[in-house]
mmCIF file of all heavy atoms in Angstrom:
data_model
loop_
_atom_site.group_PDB
_atom_site.id
_atom_site.type_symbol
_atom_site.label_atom_id
_atom_site.label_comp_id
_atom_site.label_asym_id
_atom_site.label_seq_id
_atom_site.Cartn_x
_atom_site.Cartn_y
_atom_site.Cartn_z
ATOM 1 N N ARG A 1 0.801 -1.243 0.005
ATOM 2 C CA ARG A 1 -0.013 0.000 -0.032
ATOM 3 C C ARG A 1 0.823 1.257 -0.019
ATOM 4 O O ARG A 1 0.336 2.379 -0.187
ATOM 5 C CB ARG A 1 -0.906 -0.005 1.227
ATOM 6 C CG ARG A 1 -2.037 -0.987 1.119
ATOM 7 C CD ARG A 1 -2.998 -0.860 2.260
ATOM 8 N NE ARG A 1 -2.456 -1.634 3.374
ATOM 9 C CZ ARG A 1 -2.564 -1.335 4.643
ATOM 10 N NH1 ARG A 1 -3.227 -0.245 5.026
ATOM 11 N NH2 ARG A 1 -2.079 -2.098 5.576
ATOM 12 N N ASP A 2 2.139 1.144 0.199
ATOM 13 C CA ASP A 2 3.043 2.301 0.279
ATOM 14 C C ASP A 2 3.183 2.995 -1.082
ATOM 15 O O ASP A 2 3.503 4.143 -1.138
ATOM 16 C CB ASP A 2 4.429 1.905 0.746
ATOM 17 C CG ASP A 2 4.477 1.571 2.218
ATOM 18 O OD1 ASP A 2 3.529 1.937 2.884
ATOM 19 O OD2 ASP A 2 5.482 0.987 2.635
ATOM 20 N N SER A 3 2.926 2.249 -2.178
ATOM 21 C CA SER A 3 3.177 2.804 -3.496
ATOM 22 C C SER A 3 1.813 2.825 -4.289
ATOM 23 O O SER A 3 1.204 1.771 -4.563
ATOM 24 C CB SER A 3 4.165 1.904 -4.275
ATOM 25 O OG SER A 3 4.131 2.236 -5.646
ATOM 26 N N TRP A 4 1.384 4.038 -4.593
ATOM 27 C CA TRP A 4 0.118 4.143 -5.327
ATOM 28 C C TRP A 4 0.226 3.473 -6.685
ATOM 29 O O TRP A 4 -0.709 2.833 -7.111
ATOM 30 C CB TRP A 4 -0.258 5.632 -5.493
ATOM 31 C CG TRP A 4 -1.520 5.830 -6.282
ATOM 32 C CD1 TRP A 4 -1.652 6.490 -7.451
ATOM 33 C CD2 TRP A 4 -2.837 5.369 -5.969
ATOM 34 N NE1 TRP A 4 -2.944 6.453 -7.868
ATOM 35 C CE2 TRP A 4 -3.726 5.725 -6.948
ATOM 36 C CE3 TRP A 4 -3.344 4.626 -4.870
ATOM 37 C CZ2 TRP A 4 -5.082 5.435 -6.921
ATOM 38 C CZ3 TRP A 4 -4.715 4.322 -4.852
ATOM 39 C CH2 TRP A 4 -5.505 4.711 -5.881
ATOM 40 N N SER A 5 1.395 3.548 -7.277
ATOM 41 C CA SER A 5 1.614 2.919 -8.557
ATOM 42 C C SER A 5 1.418 1.386 -8.448
ATOM 43 O O SER A 5 0.806 0.745 -9.282
ATOM 44 C CB SER A 5 3.015 3.199 -9.096
ATOM 45 O OG SER A 5 3.308 2.514 -10.233
ATOM 46 N N GLU A 6 1.937 0.799 -7.354
ATOM 47 C CA GLU A 6 1.792 -0.642 -7.136
ATOM 48 C C GLU A 6 0.326 -0.979 -6.887
ATOM 49 O O GLU A 6 -0.178 -1.989 -7.381
ATOM 50 C CB GLU A 6 2.692 -1.107 -5.978
ATOM 51 C CG GLU A 6 2.684 -2.584 -5.809
ATOM 52 C CD GLU A 6 3.725 -3.093 -4.764
ATOM 53 O OE1 GLU A 6 4.418 -2.265 -4.212
ATOM 54 O OE2 GLU A 6 3.719 -4.247 -4.508
ATOM 55 N N VAL A 7 -0.354 -0.197 -6.045
ATOM 56 C CA VAL A 7 -1.761 -0.492 -5.803
ATOM 57 C C VAL A 7 -2.573 -0.431 -7.089
ATOM 58 O O VAL A 7 -3.410 -1.316 -7.332
ATOM 59 C CB VAL A 7 -2.339 0.600 -4.774
ATOM 60 C CG1 VAL A 7 -3.807 0.471 -4.692
ATOM 61 C CG2 VAL A 7 -1.683 0.413 -3.409
ATOM 62 N N VAL A 8 -2.364 0.590 -7.934
ATOM 63 C CA VAL A 8 -3.070 0.684 -9.207
ATOM 64 C C VAL A 8 -2.783 -0.576 -10.043
ATOM 65 O O VAL A 8 -3.726 -1.130 -10.640
ATOM 66 C CB VAL A 8 -2.696 1.958 -9.936
ATOM 67 C CG1 VAL A 8 -3.215 1.960 -11.388
ATOM 68 C CG2 VAL A 8 -3.237 3.183 -9.207
ATOM 69 N N GLN A 9 -1.530 -1.010 -10.086
ATOM 70 C CA GLN A 9 -1.184 -2.187 -10.913
ATOM 71 C C GLN A 9 -1.890 -3.463 -10.365
ATOM 72 O O GLN A 9 -2.424 -4.241 -11.141
ATOM 73 C CB GLN A 9 0.323 -2.380 -10.970
ATOM 74 C CG GLN A 9 0.742 -3.502 -11.898
ATOM 75 C CD GLN A 9 0.315 -3.181 -13.340
ATOM 76 O OE1 GLN A 9 0.712 -2.197 -13.880
ATOM 77 N NE2 GLN A 9 -0.407 -4.078 -13.943
ATOM 78 N N ILE A 10 -1.942 -3.601 -9.065
ATOM 79 C CA ILE A 10 -2.558 -4.750 -8.478
ATOM 80 C C ILE A 10 -4.113 -4.713 -8.756
ATOM 81 O O ILE A 10 -4.689 -5.763 -9.139
ATOM 82 C CB ILE A 10 -2.340 -4.767 -6.914
ATOM 83 C CG1 ILE A 10 -0.868 -5.027 -6.658
ATOM 84 C CG2 ILE A 10 -3.236 -5.817 -6.265
ATOM 85 C CD1 ILE A 10 -0.457 -4.829 -5.195
ATOM 86 N N LEU A 11 -4.702 -3.565 -8.581
ATOM 87 C CA LEU A 11 -6.118 -3.434 -8.868
ATOM 88 C C LEU A 11 -6.405 -3.785 -10.310
ATOM 89 O O LEU A 11 -7.424 -4.440 -10.622
ATOM 90 C CB LEU A 11 -6.636 -2.020 -8.563
ATOM 91 C CG LEU A 11 -6.666 -1.679 -7.029
ATOM 92 C CD1 LEU A 11 -7.003 -0.182 -6.907
ATOM 93 C CD2 LEU A 11 -7.643 -2.476 -6.298
ATOM 94 N N GLU A 12 -5.570 -3.276 -11.273
ATOM 95 C CA GLU A 12 -5.799 -3.632 -12.646
ATOM 96 C C GLU A 12 -5.577 -5.104 -12.924
ATOM 97 O O GLU A 12 -6.361 -5.757 -13.622
ATOM 98 C CB GLU A 12 -4.866 -2.777 -13.503
ATOM 99 C CG GLU A 12 -5.146 -2.951 -15.001
ATOM 100 C CD GLU A 12 -4.381 -1.973 -15.820
ATOM 101 O OE1 GLU A 12 -3.235 -1.594 -15.472
ATOM 102 O OE2 GLU A 12 -4.923 -1.561 -16.850
ATOM 103 N N ASP A 13 -4.545 -5.716 -12.350
ATOM 104 C CA ASP A 13 -4.308 -7.133 -12.469
ATOM 105 C C ASP A 13 -5.453 -7.983 -11.937
ATOM 106 O O ASP A 13 -5.754 -9.037 -12.502
ATOM 107 C CB ASP A 13 -3.020 -7.544 -11.789
ATOM 108 C CG ASP A 13 -1.738 -6.986 -12.423
ATOM 109 O OD1 ASP A 13 -1.797 -6.490 -13.592
ATOM 110 O OD2 ASP A 13 -0.679 -7.029 -11.800
ATOM 111 N N GLU A 14 -6.113 -7.484 -10.881
ATOM 112 C CA GLU A 14 -7.249 -8.225 -10.273
ATOM 113 C C GLU A 14 -8.523 -7.974 -11.027
ATOM 114 O O GLU A 14 -9.568 -8.580 -10.689
ATOM 115 C CB GLU A 14 -7.377 -7.803 -8.838
ATOM 116 C CG GLU A 14 -6.247 -8.242 -7.913
ATOM 117 C CD GLU A 14 -6.201 -9.770 -7.748
ATOM 118 O OE1 GLU A 14 -7.283 -10.366 -7.627
ATOM 119 O OE2 GLU A 14 -5.110 -10.317 -7.668
ATOM 120 N N GLY A 15 -8.464 -7.060 -12.037
ATOM 121 C CA GLY A 15 -9.712 -6.846 -12.814
ATOM 122 C C GLY A 15 -10.678 -5.901 -12.119
ATOM 123 O O GLY A 15 -11.834 -5.812 -12.474
ATOM 124 N N MET A 16 -10.200 -5.177 -11.098
ATOM 125 C CA MET A 16 -11.120 -4.302 -10.301
ATOM 126 C C MET A 16 -11.235 -2.910 -10.953
ATOM 127 O O MET A 16 -12.181 -2.198 -10.678
ATOM 128 C CB MET A 16 -10.596 -4.258 -8.891
ATOM 129 C CG MET A 16 -10.539 -5.540 -8.158
ATOM 130 S SD MET A 16 -10.048 -5.501 -6.467
ATOM 131 C CE MET A 16 -11.595 -5.500 -5.659
ATOM 132 N N ILE A 17 -10.136 -2.543 -11.702
ATOM 133 C CA ILE A 17 -10.193 -1.279 -12.429
ATOM 134 C C ILE A 17 -9.658 -1.478 -13.839
ATOM 135 O O ILE A 17 -8.987 -2.463 -14.101
ATOM 136 C CB ILE A 17 -9.356 -0.201 -11.763
ATOM 137 C CG1 ILE A 17 -7.882 -0.584 -11.674
ATOM 138 C CG2 ILE A 17 -9.964 0.166 -10.349
ATOM 139 C CD1 ILE A 17 -6.977 0.562 -11.215
ATOM 140 N N THR A 18 -9.989 -0.565 -14.714
ATOM 141 C CA THR A 18 -9.361 -0.547 -16.061
ATOM 142 C C THR A 18 -8.775 0.829 -16.227
ATOM 143 O O THR A 18 -9.459 1.838 -16.073
ATOM 144 C CB THR A 18 -10.495 -0.776 -17.090
ATOM 145 O OG1 THR A 18 -11.037 -2.086 -16.864
ATOM 146 C CG2 THR A 18 -9.880 -0.750 -18.507
ATOM 147 N N MET A 19 -7.497 0.848 -16.583
ATOM 148 C CA MET A 19 -6.850 2.137 -16.906
ATOM 149 C C MET A 19 -7.160 2.508 -18.349
ATOM 150 O O MET A 19 -7.058 1.680 -19.240
ATOM 151 C CB MET A 19 -5.360 2.015 -16.674
ATOM 152 C CG MET A 19 -4.938 1.732 -15.204
ATOM 153 S SD MET A 19 -5.625 2.849 -14.026
ATOM 154 C CE MET A 19 -4.841 4.352 -14.488
ATOM 155 N N GLU A 20 -7.516 3.755 -18.539
ATOM 156 C CA GLU A 20 -7.906 4.227 -19.832
ATOM 157 C C GLU A 20 -6.884 5.339 -20.244
ATOM 158 O O GLU A 20 -6.500 6.145 -19.426
ATOM 159 C CB GLU A 20 -9.294 4.799 -19.852
ATOM 160 C CG GLU A 20 -10.317 3.760 -19.478
ATOM 161 C CD GLU A 20 -11.692 4.376 -19.233
ATOM 162 O OE1 GLU A 20 -11.822 5.555 -18.893
ATOM 163 O OE2 GLU A 20 -12.678 3.604 -19.424
ATOM 164 N N GLY A 21 -6.465 5.336 -21.463
ATOM 165 C CA GLY A 21 -5.547 6.350 -21.959
ATOM 166 C C GLY A 21 -4.131 6.151 -21.391
ATOM 167 O O GLY A 21 -3.768 5.092 -20.914
ATOM 168 N N ASP A 22 -3.381 7.246 -21.421
ATOM 169 C CA ASP A 22 -2.009 7.139 -20.899
ATOM 170 C C ASP A 22 -2.015 7.259 -19.336
ATOM 171 O O ASP A 22 -2.761 8.111 -18.783
ATOM 172 C CB ASP A 22 -1.179 8.377 -21.439
ATOM 173 C CG ASP A 22 -0.919 8.226 -22.921
ATOM 174 O OD1 ASP A 22 -0.998 7.116 -23.435
ATOM 175 O OD2 ASP A 22 -0.722 9.268 -23.604
ATOM 176 N N PHE A 23 -1.186 6.478 -18.759
ATOM 177 C CA PHE A 23 -1.065 6.446 -17.337
ATOM 178 C C PHE A 23 0.394 6.447 -16.990
ATOM 179 O O PHE A 23 1.129 5.659 -17.483
ATOM 180 C CB PHE A 23 -1.782 5.256 -16.691
ATOM 181 C CG PHE A 23 -1.543 5.112 -15.214
ATOM 182 C CD1 PHE A 23 -2.185 5.985 -14.346
ATOM 183 C CD2 PHE A 23 -0.665 4.206 -14.722
ATOM 184 C CE1 PHE A 23 -1.943 5.890 -12.958
ATOM 185 C CE2 PHE A 23 -0.427 4.090 -13.357
ATOM 186 C CZ PHE A 23 -1.118 4.962 -12.459
ATOM 187 N N SER A 24 0.794 7.386 -16.150
ATOM 188 C CA SER A 24 2.149 7.475 -15.728
ATOM 189 C C SER A 24 2.268 7.896 -14.280
ATOM 190 O O SER A 24 1.432 8.663 -13.754
ATOM 191 C CB SER A 24 2.893 8.488 -16.579
ATOM 192 O OG SER A 24 4.198 8.638 -16.159
ATOM 193 N N THR A 25 3.248 7.378 -13.577
ATOM 194 C CA THR A 25 3.502 7.787 -12.222
ATOM 195 C C THR A 25 4.544 8.902 -12.178
ATOM 196 O O THR A 25 4.956 9.312 -11.100
ATOM 197 C CB THR A 25 3.948 6.637 -11.353
ATOM 198 O OG1 THR A 25 5.120 6.072 -11.901
ATOM 199 C CG2 THR A 25 2.844 5.533 -11.296
ATOM 200 N N ILE A 26 4.973 9.353 -13.308
ATOM 201 C CA ILE A 26 6.008 10.426 -13.347
ATOM 202 C C ILE A 26 5.376 11.731 -12.956
ATOM 203 O O ILE A 26 4.375 12.130 -13.487
ATOM 204 C CB ILE A 26 6.668 10.525 -14.736
ATOM 205 C CG1 ILE A 26 7.434 9.227 -14.999
ATOM 206 C CG2 ILE A 26 7.564 11.728 -14.824
ATOM 207 C CD1 ILE A 26 8.002 9.193 -16.434
ATOM 208 N N ASP A 27 6.055 12.432 -12.038
ATOM 209 C CA ASP A 27 5.591 13.743 -11.648
ATOM 210 C C ASP A 27 6.271 14.740 -12.665
ATOM 211 O O ASP A 27 7.478 14.998 -12.515
ATOM 212 C CB ASP A 27 6.002 14.085 -10.230
ATOM 213 C CG ASP A 27 5.550 15.384 -9.741
ATOM 214 O OD1 ASP A 27 5.210 16.281 -10.613
ATOM 215 O OD2 ASP A 27 5.578 15.641 -8.558
ATOM 216 N N HIS A 28 5.536 15.154 -13.652
ATOM 217 C CA HIS A 28 6.135 15.969 -14.719
ATOM 218 C C HIS A 28 6.713 17.319 -14.237
ATOM 219 O O HIS A 28 7.661 17.836 -14.820
ATOM 220 C CB HIS A 28 5.109 16.205 -15.824
ATOM 221 C CG HIS A 28 4.768 14.963 -16.542
ATOM 222 N ND1 HIS A 28 5.609 14.377 -17.443
ATOM 223 C CD2 HIS A 28 3.672 14.185 -16.470
ATOM 224 C CE1 HIS A 28 5.023 13.264 -17.893
ATOM 225 N NE2 HIS A 28 3.877 13.110 -17.318
ATOM 226 N N GLU A 29 6.185 17.812 -13.080
ATOM 227 C CA GLU A 29 6.717 19.068 -12.546
ATOM 228 C C GLU A 29 8.140 18.794 -11.972
ATOM 229 O O GLU A 29 8.914 19.761 -11.886
ATOM 230 C CB GLU A 29 5.788 19.616 -11.464
ATOM 231 C CG GLU A 29 4.462 20.081 -11.989
ATOM 232 C CD GLU A 29 3.578 20.567 -10.903
ATOM 233 O OE1 GLU A 29 3.976 20.685 -9.770
ATOM 234 O OE2 GLU A 29 2.408 20.871 -11.253
ATOM 235 N N LEU A 30 8.454 17.603 -11.561
ATOM 236 C CA LEU A 30 9.741 17.315 -10.946
ATOM 237 C C LEU A 30 10.595 16.436 -11.895
ATOM 238 O O LEU A 30 11.665 15.886 -11.391
ATOM 239 C CB LEU A 30 9.539 16.601 -9.625
ATOM 240 C CG LEU A 30 8.859 17.435 -8.547
ATOM 241 C CD1 LEU A 30 8.602 16.583 -7.258
ATOM 242 C CD2 LEU A 30 9.680 18.670 -8.217
ATOM 243 N N LEU A 31 10.255 16.316 -13.100
ATOM 244 C CA LEU A 31 10.940 15.430 -14.041
ATOM 245 C C LEU A 31 12.446 15.773 -14.142
ATOM 246 O O LEU A 31 13.307 14.902 -14.066
ATOM 247 C CB LEU A 31 10.309 15.417 -15.414
ATOM 248 C CG LEU A 31 10.870 14.488 -16.455
ATOM 249 C CD1 LEU A 31 10.866 13.073 -15.917
ATOM 250 C CD2 LEU A 31 10.178 14.578 -17.746
ATOM 251 N N ASP A 32 12.756 17.045 -14.279
ATOM 252 C CA ASP A 32 14.162 17.414 -14.400
ATOM 253 C C ASP A 32 14.962 17.025 -13.139
ATOM 254 O O ASP A 32 16.072 16.523 -13.233
ATOM 255 C CB ASP A 32 14.296 18.954 -14.612
ATOM 256 C CG ASP A 32 13.823 19.335 -16.028
ATOM 257 O OD1 ASP A 32 13.758 18.487 -16.939
ATOM 258 O OD2 ASP A 32 13.507 20.532 -16.189
ATOM 259 N N ALA A 33 14.367 17.224 -11.997
ATOM 260 C CA ALA A 33 15.057 16.883 -10.734
ATOM 261 C C ALA A 33 15.240 15.381 -10.652
ATOM 262 O O ALA A 33 16.270 14.833 -10.191
ATOM 263 C CB ALA A 33 14.321 17.396 -9.535
#
């Protein structure tokens, strides 16, 4: 549960959610850093 990205992946693998469109865990505001 510490990683939202991991939770989303687990939920999708379990068929509980469907991701639509582009999905990224990259924080674009901090990408350079």
